[in-house]
Amino acid sequence: MKRALGATEQLPGTGRARKVVTRRGKKIRGKFPSKKLGKIVEWESLIERDAILMMEYHPAVLRYQEQPSEETYYDASGNARRCYPDFSCDLASGKTILLEIKSAKELDHDKKMQRKLGQIALSFARQGRPYRVLTDKEIRRQPLHANLLRLHDAHRATLPHTSEPHLPISVARNSAHVLGTWAEMLGSETIALGHIARGRLRTDLELALTSESLVWMPSYTEAGDGSFSL
């Protein structure tokens, strides 16, 4: 008989608490080469793939892990049940958020799943552990999703540079400039976007990303840290 993986046990060499599978054979799966983590992240649905983009390019997400742990929750009858959160997210604030990724359409029509997720959320709340259910409506909201795709393309197209952009001495590091100006200073818009993707520059990704978008260095804290809702 196989022994169940506990919350602290993981599959060797993966960081995952269970194997990535295609549930009921109805969903495709794939692999995402994470530059933030320096490893391959496996996903079980296209919604999960798009959620990975959020974690990969969120400036406050330090690390994330798919299928991070086996957890226990209690159903309405008080029976212990197992669950596997889709992702864990370690934030710069020191908090770790557990994430469940679902289709909004499926969730709206699946009352059983709604009850289960409610019971899981209650169990985690009692433990003081942040837990969120993200749907495709939130994950693919615009213009954020389109911006993340642009960052991903730029990240793949540009080679690693120095730890921060090489700028003219005359450029103030405690002020914001429009993306078009950064493109002129750095050589191209793709390079500027690549720096944003690496967290070396910041911008508000909840706004449409254009040549007039304000972009700043992380040291310019008055402009914010470029975080978005996760």
Side-chain angles (χ1 to χ4, degrees), residues 191-208:
I191 293 176
L193 292 175
H195 279 298
I196 296 173
R198 292 176 176 85
R200 298 166 185 166
L201 292 175
R202 301 289 169 83
T203 191
D204 187 345
L205 292 170
E206 294 278 14
L207 301 177

Side-chain angles (χ1 to χ4, degrees), residues 32 43-57 87 101 134-136 138-142 144-145 148-149 152 228 230:
F32 181 90
W43 47 265
E44 296 181 305
S45 70
L46 294 177
I47 304 175
E48 284 192 10
R49 180 201 63 186
D50 291 344
I52 288 173
L53 285 176
M54 297 178 75
M55 294 178 278
E56 183 76 7
Y57 298 116
F87 294 96
I101 311 301
L134 285 178
T135 70
D136 51 320
E138 298 164 290
I139 293 167
R140 293 170 178 163
R141 67 183 184 270
Q142 297 294 358
L144 175 65
H145 185 56
L148 294 177
L149 289 173
H152 187 55
F228 50 85
L230 185 65

